Amino acid sequence: MYHYSFLQWLAFFYIYSFFGWIFESSYVSVKNRRLVNRGFLRLPLLPLYGTGAVMMLWVSLPVQNHLFLVYISGVIAATILEYITGCVMEHLFKIKYWDYSDQRFQYKGYICLSSSIAWGFLTILLTEILHRPVSDLVLHLTLPELTAGVCIISVFFVCDTFQSVREALKLGQTLESLTQLKTELEELQVQLALLKAETTAKLSQAKEDRMEDLNLRIQHLTNKRREFTSHISFYHRGLLKGNPSAVSKRFNAALLELKDFAAKRRTPK
């Protein structure tokens, strides 16, 4: 049972990524009372679950006859994976796509005790129940069938991953730009307010010119902010709507603004 080929492991990765997407999308949809295409990709796949399942199998199948060791290995492997993935994604994309900050016994919002405990029981469920029919299905496929299926899915997966990563990086840059624009706007508005407070009934030409310049700059920055929020791509809307609990430590105000805009905006027909 433990000896699988590379193609078979890849098939397991895609199958469990799909199962993870079904679980997460169902849970979040019920929680938010609307349909949510959960995840980072536009395909119905959650790679974290696929990677987690493969890692769980790697560490647990050699000790599958010892239930306690299966549980402990699942807790450790999945917790490490969740922490590393969370750190890397937030560093790259400026957004924390899941956040356990409101949970007890959590660490930096990436991992928490209740989640780690659940990963251990999920590892037992995976090795003792779920993996057997999945393994039988994959092992019964002929080599040409397995190769064709894995290759076709891999093409779509790689293309979607490339596009999603690129758009997620752009979204992070947008959040940073929106935050900078907001800071500049607030500074200009303060300068304008101070300048108005200092003026007398009769304004000097220099002050009039300065006030006009500040108003023009404020209008320009306001228009730029409006452009950023009004030109949200299909992938950006998907990322924002599919991750309603996402937060950003540095750019959360901008993230909330974009999420609110994406929720109100209808997808073009």
Side-chain angles (χ1 to χ4, degrees):
M1 185 176 180
Y2 181 59
H3 301 288
Y4 298 115
S5 67
F6 172 77
L7 285 177
Q8 289 167 340
W9 278 116
L10 202 52
F12 295 147
F13 168 76
Y14 290 133
I15 290 171
Y16 291 121
S17 293
F18 178 63
F19 287 170
W21 175 83
I22 292 175
F23 170 75
E24 281 279 338
S25 295
S26 300
Y27 173 75
V28 177
S29 294
V30 171
K31 184 178 179 180
N32 289 271
R33 298 180 181 179
R34 64 179 177 84
L35 292 176
V36 176
N37 178 19
R38 187 77 167 109
F40 183 75
L41 305 178
R42 296 305 90 210
L43 288 173
L45 298 172
L46 276 179
L48 178 62
Y49 278 81
T51 305
V54 169
M55 182 178 289
M56 288 176 187
L57 292 172
W58 279 349
V59 299
S60 65
L61 288 180
V63 294
Q64 61 182 313
N65 294 325
H66 303 278
L67 208 58
F68 179 73
L69 292 179
V70 169
Y71 178 83
I72 294 299
S73 62
V75 168
I76 295 173
T79 301
I80 291 173
L81 174 65
E82 194 170 32
Y83 178 78
I84 293 175
T85 303
C87 287
V88 171
M89 290 186 71
E90 185 178 17
H91 177 74
L92 287 176
F93 308 127
K94 314 293 192 302
I95 296 176
K96 187 181 290 183
Y97 280 92
W98 65 87
D99 186 22
Y100 296 129
S101 297
D102 60 341
Q103 301 290 322
R104 297 182 63 186
F105 308 110
Q106 56 85 26
Y107 183 68
K108 294 186 177 181
Y110 301 129
I111 55 176
C112 68
L113 180 60
S114 60
S115 177
S116 296
I117 291 173
W119 281 120
F121 286 112
L122 186 59
T123 304
I124 294 176
L125 178 66
L126 176 68
T127 55
E128 296 298 314
I129 300 175
L130 295 179
H131 187 62
R132 292 177 183 178
V134 172
S135 178
D136 289 342
L137 172 65
V138 172
L139 291 175
H140 277 84
L141 293 175
T142 64
L143 182 59
E145 291 172 341
L146 179 63
T147 303
V150 167
C151 287
I152 291 172
I153 297 174
S154 294
V155 169
F156 285 103
F157 176 76
V158 169
C159 291
D160 191 11
T161 300
F162 174 79
Q163 184 67 18
S164 295
V165 168
R166 188 173 69 171
E167 293 298 328
L169 290 171
K170 288 182 180 179
L171 181 59
Q173 293 169 356
T174 298
L175 294 177
E176 189 170 4
S177 298
L178 280 172
T179 302
Q180 291 175 349
L181 286 173
K182 183 180 179 181
T183 301
E184 290 180 35
L185 272 171
E186 291 173 347
E187 290 175 354
L188 291 176
Q189 288 167 348
V190 169
Q191 291 180 34
L192 183 60
L194 291 174
L195 187 59
K196 287 180 178 179
E198 292 173 0
T199 58
T200 60
K202 185 177 179 180
L203 294 175
S204 67
Q205 187 61 43
K207 286 185 177 181
E208 287 182 350
D209 292 342
R210 176 60 176 162
M211 289 178 67
E212 183 179 358
D213 178 62
L214 287 174
N215 280 318
L216 288 173
R217 290 174 65 188
I218 288 173
Q219 185 61 47
H220 174 68
L221 293 178
T222 301
N223 290 336
K224 286 186 69 175
R225 279 178 60 83
R226 190 177 295 115
E227 287 178 9
F228 273 118
T229 55
S230 62
H231 293 84
I232 300 179
S233 70
F234 166 76
Y235 273 85
H236 289 173
R237 290 198 303 273
L239 285 170
L240 294 169
K241 292 181 179 180
N243 298 277
S245 61
V247 297
S248 178
K249 185 183 299 182
R250 294 173 57 194
F251 312 114
N252 207 49
L255 177 61
L256 291 174
E257 184 178 351
L258 285 182
K259 287 170 74 172
D260 182 63
F261 186 85
K264 293 179 180 177
R265 181 177 178 180
R266 293 182 179 180
T267 303
K269 294 181 180 180

